[in-house]
Amino acid sequence: VCATCVKWAESLAAFWQTGARGPPGSGYESTPLNNGAMTYAGDSSATYVTLTTSEFEDCYNGELNTLQLLIMPGGSAYSIQDALGSPGKTALTNFLNNGGDYLGFCAGGYLMARGYYWSGYDGAPADNCDEQFCRYEVDGTFSYDDATKDFTVHEWNGNSYHSNLIAYGPLANVYVEGPIEEIAGPWALVSNPNAPYDSHKVVSTDPQVPPLRQVYYGGATENYLYTNSTSYSAESGLDWGNELAHFVSDSPADGDLPFPSNLWTLKYADTGNGGKIVISSAHIEASVFYTDIGDGGMTECQSYNNYVFMTRSISGILNIALPEYDMTCLADRKVGGE
């Protein structure tokens, strides 16, 4: 798996650098990326596996533990944990216990936590949570109580529709949040004529990383209303993980919408068993060439730098080659036909 990941990561970075879909002479140089007959590298030896729900639930036979890195994409955190069920939760927990590494984008980040604050319908049966913030967690769903000034009203007679959130290791007591209905962007009418999925400026904790621009659409993060990344839970009062990048406020002068500047966009934590959990609140994987979300106001070089950033961020996990950033790329919003 590691050798395959090396080829995949290097070829993906090469694509952003050269625009070629495959190595010279491979015949794949101009093949669209969404062509199902090819890998990203245009190399039949670079393979990957997408697990179905039933296959994932059958991973108790040890197949999952032969992998080095499991990547969980975005979508609906409720639907993912519901589809995994108890067998899937057990298999993923065992994978992490045995030193596996995990990378979760957006909903894949929520899956690792104990619970999350969300405004409005999240896919589970909705009662009092339909029009307000609620806290969905492994022990149940809690709505806000004006009397206690806290999330103490247990919905649905004590039933939990999120019992298969993993709540693993350093995130066992962590609550995250990602209020897409509250943060200006895809749900705000004022986003027009900007892209419906908006991108925002990002700064890495590494001064060698150039300014970045990434698409946010409700991914798991902290420091908005109900969470604090430096004291993540009332029970422990401890920090967790290491922040690699965070959003910064954009200037309205370049067409951006107001956006909180204290939300992290990439964070990782050691599992305690030799592996790492990496969570991206942003859609760093978003491509300006092939995506349902449009370019998000990003230029090609900004997308390329996002791929380099992610590749370099997980290089310690996969021992992969380190592509170089395009240091001439600015973080300003794409304008017109740039």
Side-chain angles (χ1 to χ4, degrees):
V1 173
C2 185
T4 295
C5 292
V6 170
K7 291 183 179 181
W8 179 84
E10 291 179 342
S11 62
L12 192 56
F15 161 70
W16 288 111
Q17 290 172 327
T18 66
R21 271 62 170 176
S26 67
Y28 289 105
E29 291 89 341
S30 60
T31 304
L33 283 179
N34 59 330
N35 186 316
M38 65 169 290
T39 67
Y40 284 102
D43 181 346
S44 60
S45 65
T47 59
Y48 64 94
V49 176
T50 300
L51 299 179
T52 65
T53 300
S54 61
E55 287 172 336
F56 194 93
E57 291 176 346
D58 287 340
C59 280
Y60 63 84
N61 61 12
E63 292 180 358
L64 182 61
N65 289 329
T66 66
L67 304 179
Q68 181 176 356
L69 173 66
L70 178 66
I71 302 176
M72 188 68 72
S76 163
Y78 163 72
S79 298
I80 292 173
Q81 63 87 39
D82 185 57
L84 288 179
S86 179
K89 178 176 181 176
T90 298
L92 183 47
T93 298
N94 289 338
F95 168 73
L96 295 169
N97 285 342
N98 290 324
D101 297 302
Y102 178 92
L103 171 59
F105 295 98
C106 199
Y110 289 106
L111 183 65
M112 283 292 106
R114 179 180 184 82
Y116 56 92
Y117 295 90
W118 190 263
S119 175
Y121 181 59
D122 91 318
D127 289 338
N128 293 328
C129 298
D130 197 18
E131 300 294 335
Q132 66 174 4
F133 272 96
C134 277
R135 188 176 72 223
Y136 300 94
E137 60 170 283
V138 291
D139 293 327
T141 298
F142 299 85
S143 57
Y144 191 80
D145 186 349
D146 287 330
T148 63
K149 305 300 181 185
D150 201 356
F151 291 85
T152 52
V153 177
H154 201 314
E155 300 289 322
W156 307 311
N157 299 317
N159 292 324
S160 173
Y161 289 92
H162 297 75
S163 59
N164 292 312
L165 292 172
I166 307 303
Y168 188 84
L171 288 94
N173 293 310
V174 172
Y175 299 104
V176 291
E177 57 184 328
I180 56 175
E181 296 186 23
E182 304 296 320
I183 296 177
W187 292 66
L189 294 178
V190 294
S191 65
N192 185 43
N194 288 348
Y197 290 73
D198 202 24
S199 63
H200 302 275
K201 290 182 179 179
V202 170
V203 171
S204 171
T205 55
D206 181 354
Q208 302 303 313
V209 177
L212 302 170
R213 189 172 194 88
Q214 297 172 358
V215 171
Y216 179 83
Y217 188 59
T221 185
E222 295 167 291
N223 297 325
Y224 183 58
L225 293 178
Y226 300 110
T227 61
N228 186 327
S229 64
T230 59
S231 57
Y232 65 78
S233 71
E235 292 80 5
S236 67
L238 299 175
D239 191 10
W240 73 275
N242 299 276
E243 179 187 302
L244 296 177
H246 61 272
F247 291 102
V248 295
S249 295
D250 284 347
S251 167
D254 69 358
D256 276 314
L257 301 169
F259 194 85
S261 61
N262 57 342
L263 308 181
W264 54 260
T265 177
L266 191 66
K267 197 170 183 179
Y268 78 91
D270 293 324
T271 63
N273 294 305
K276 285 184 172 60
I277 295 174
V278 184
I279 296 177
S280 174
S281 69
H283 284 285
I284 302 179
E285 81 285 5
S287 161
V288 298
F289 290 114
Y290 180 65
T291 177
D292 290 333
I293 67 174
D295 60 30
M298 292 189 298
T299 63
E300 180 178 343
C301 71
Q302 289 166 355
S303 289
Y304 164 71
N305 277 348
N306 283 339
Y307 274 69
V308 173
F309 177 63
M310 177 54 67
T311 302
R312 296 178 74 95
S313 295
I314 64 173
S315 62
I317 294 176
L318 298 176
N319 191 28
I320 54 183
L322 298 180
E324 298 297 328
Y325 290 102
D326 181 349
M327 301 303 293
T328 67
C329 185
L330 302 177
D332 293 334
R333 169 176 293 282
K334 178 180 180 180
V335 179
E338 289 183 357

